[in-house]
Amino acid sequence: MNALRSVLSIHPGQAASDGAGVRLTRVIGGAGIERFDPFLMLDEFGSDNPDDYIAGFPSHPHRGFETITYMLAGSMRHEDHLGNVGLLQSGGVQWMTAARGIIHSEMPEQEQGVMRGFQLWLNLPSQEKLGAPGYRDIPAAEIPRLTTAGGVEVVVIAGQFDDGQVQQSGAVQRPHTEPQLFDLHLPAGGRIAPRLVDGHRALLYVYEGELQLPSATPKTVAAGRLVRLSDEGELQLASSQGARLLLIAGKPLNEPIVQYGPFVMNSREEIEQALRDYRDGVLA
């Protein structure tokens, strides 16, 4: 039996707000983001109180990375300066490549009810940071879903899923960072061993239930916790009472990361150029 991936650290999410006052939980972000390379930020938002989300995210810029928004419940409208308009609904994904620049807004399309989901920021390599921006709306019906022999439901958003018995390509494939993004629903007593590439960064975010990580010193992970795993070895997941979690993995870029708000580049000079370009109306 090969060695198992070990737990390097467990991080609780932190209460935060963004946009025009949207309340959320910041799971990745701030100091030390190099530890999560190529992932820059992960936010979880979820509330049935409209006051927590109704103000949304008015027009704002991005440069140098990709944003992936996965909606569990609710609806959000995207509009950007390139003329893209899309409605993100329950189970759907918005994949936006900011590259050299996108100015967009993300506003709720509801005045009541539950809004719940995640936004993940994925870095771009230096040679693509000033490339052409792009945008794609992926409705739930176009995202592959499967159930393993052990009864685990898998939503394959990006990359390749393989547990040794079933293989499935995700809705999105990306070069350089080669991300894998799966939403896993383990029933009580469920187990799964998704295959990951040695050398790739691997993270788990438990958003419901409780997860067990078998190892020489087994770990139990409660909801609202991010697990940072070692970069090599097999991954085995289990849950005695049931769990829902995001599995996030990708190839580190191993490049300098300089972030200033919505801009992520490789040097301070490039950040200053982004600020000038935004001020002068030539971000993209």
Side-chain angles (χ1 to χ4, degrees):
M1 177 179 175
N2 295 329
L4 298 178
R5 293 207 177 209
S6 58
V7 174
L8 299 180
S9 56
I10 298 177
H11 306 261
Q14 303 294 322
S17 66
D18 210 334
V22 176
R23 294 185 182 180
L24 49 81
T25 299
R26 182 138 294 161
V27 182
I28 300 172
I33 53 175
E34 292 83 0
R35 294 174 295 174
F36 307 103
D37 177 21
F39 305 104
L40 303 164
M41 191 188 80
L42 174 63
D43 283 345
E44 177 183 13
F45 51 91
S47 177
D48 59 3
N49 180 359
D51 291 341
D52 291 341
Y53 62 74
I54 198 67
F57 303 89
S59 185
H60 58 282
H62 291 293
R63 173 178 277 184
F65 59 98
E66 302 185 278
T67 68
I68 302 104
T69 308
Y70 174 39
M71 190 71 77
L72 296 179
S75 58
M76 189 98 69
R77 179 167 296 277
H78 164 101
E79 296 184 6
D80 65 42
H81 80 291
L82 300 176
N84 296 308
V85 177
L87 183 61
L88 180 59
Q89 296 179 295
S90 298
V93 169
Q94 172 192 289
W95 197 291
M96 189 183 80
T97 303
R100 66 174 175 260
I102 278 184
I103 302 170
H104 77 148
S105 62
E106 299 158 294
M107 302 300 292
E109 277 281 299
Q110 61 192 66
E111 295 181 357
Q112 59 185 359
V114 176
M115 177 171 285
R116 189 179 188 195
F118 304 93
Q119 186 168 97
L120 177 69
W121 287 13
L122 174 63
N123 207 1
L124 283 169
S126 57
Q127 68 266 33
E128 292 193 354
K129 284 186 176 293
L130 296 180
Y135 168 84
R136 182 182 173 192
D137 255 333
I138 311 169
E142 295 180 11
I143 300 173
R145 298 165 185 262
L146 60 92
T147 301
T148 69
V152 178
E153 297 179 19
V154 184
V155 183
V156 190
I157 298 169
Q160 303 290 328
F161 174 82
D162 182 358
D163 67 351
Q165 295 180 306
V166 62
Q167 296 80 39
Q168 175 65 57
S169 295
V172 177
Q173 309 296 322
R174 299 297 292 139
H176 305 295
T177 51
E178 301 173 15
Q180 291 173 282
L181 177 57
F182 311 144
D183 183 9
L184 306 177
H185 304 179
L186 278 69
R191 293 178 174 273
I192 191 170
R195 295 180 174 178
L196 303 178
V197 179
D198 278 349
H200 282 202
R201 193 68 25 87
L203 308 167
L204 307 169
Y205 181 64
V206 181
Y207 64 92
E208 285 184 15
E210 192 174 81
L211 182 70
Q212 283 81 45
L213 295 168
S215 66
T217 55
K219 301 281 187 183
T220 296
V221 185
R225 301 291 189 274
L226 178 86
V227 181
R228 186 168 66 99
L229 298 167
S230 60
D231 293 350
E232 296 188 352
E234 293 184 355
L235 177 61
Q236 295 183 12
L237 308 174
S239 180
S240 58
Q241 67 177 41
R244 300 182 70 177
L245 65 140
L246 298 182
L247 188 159
I248 304 166
K251 183 178 181 181
L253 292 172
N254 296 314
E255 296 179 353
I257 299 172
V258 182
Q259 178 178 359
Y260 184 83
F263 306 132
V264 182
M265 303 300 289
N266 298 114
S267 69
R268 179 176 176 178
E269 290 74 19
E270 290 172 325
I271 291 292
E272 291 171 348
Q273 184 63 54
L275 290 167
R276 286 194 295 271
D277 288 347
Y278 180 55
R279 178 196 64 204
D280 295 341
V282 292
L283 185 71

